[in-house]
Amino acid sequence: MNVSITAAGAKLSELVRRAKAGEEIVLTRRGKAVARLLPPPGKEDLLPRIGALKGKIRIADDFDALGPEWAEYSR
């Protein structure tokens, strides 16, 4: 839905209610889009939290150990 900024000022509460319900509202000035009112992100849109994989990933003890084939490069 496209709405001019002037009209949006008069019915902001309604536009926020519609955006919350899932509708995207495009605010325009002189017929050109200048901003968008979007619905709040759902749970699937959120980035995973730090530490979310704790205890689920294991790194081998020799992860950063170089094999014998690298001996001449590491001199």
Side-chain angles (χ1 to χ4, degrees), residues 7-18 27 37:
K11 52 185 176 178
L12 183 60
S13 293
E14 177 194 346
L15 295 175
V16 169
R17 181 186 54 76
R18 291 174 77 163
L27 301 177
L37 276 175

Side-chain angles (χ1 to χ4, degrees), residues 1-4 6 8 14 18-20 26 29 31-32 42-44 46 52-53 55 61 63 68 70 74-75:
M1 163 184 230
N2 291 347
V3 179
S4 72
T6 306
E14 177 194 346
R18 291 174 77 163
K20 183 180 176 186
V26 178
R29 178 180 285 143
K32 297 195 185 241
K43 291 237 180 225
E44 66 279 351
L46 297 176
L53 297 176
D61 293 335
F63 170 76
W70 290 92
S74 60
R75 287 191 235 164

Side-chain angles (χ1 to χ4, degrees), residues 30-41:
R30 296 184 186 142
K32 297 195 185 241
V34 293
R36 292 185 302 162
L37 276 175
L38 301 173

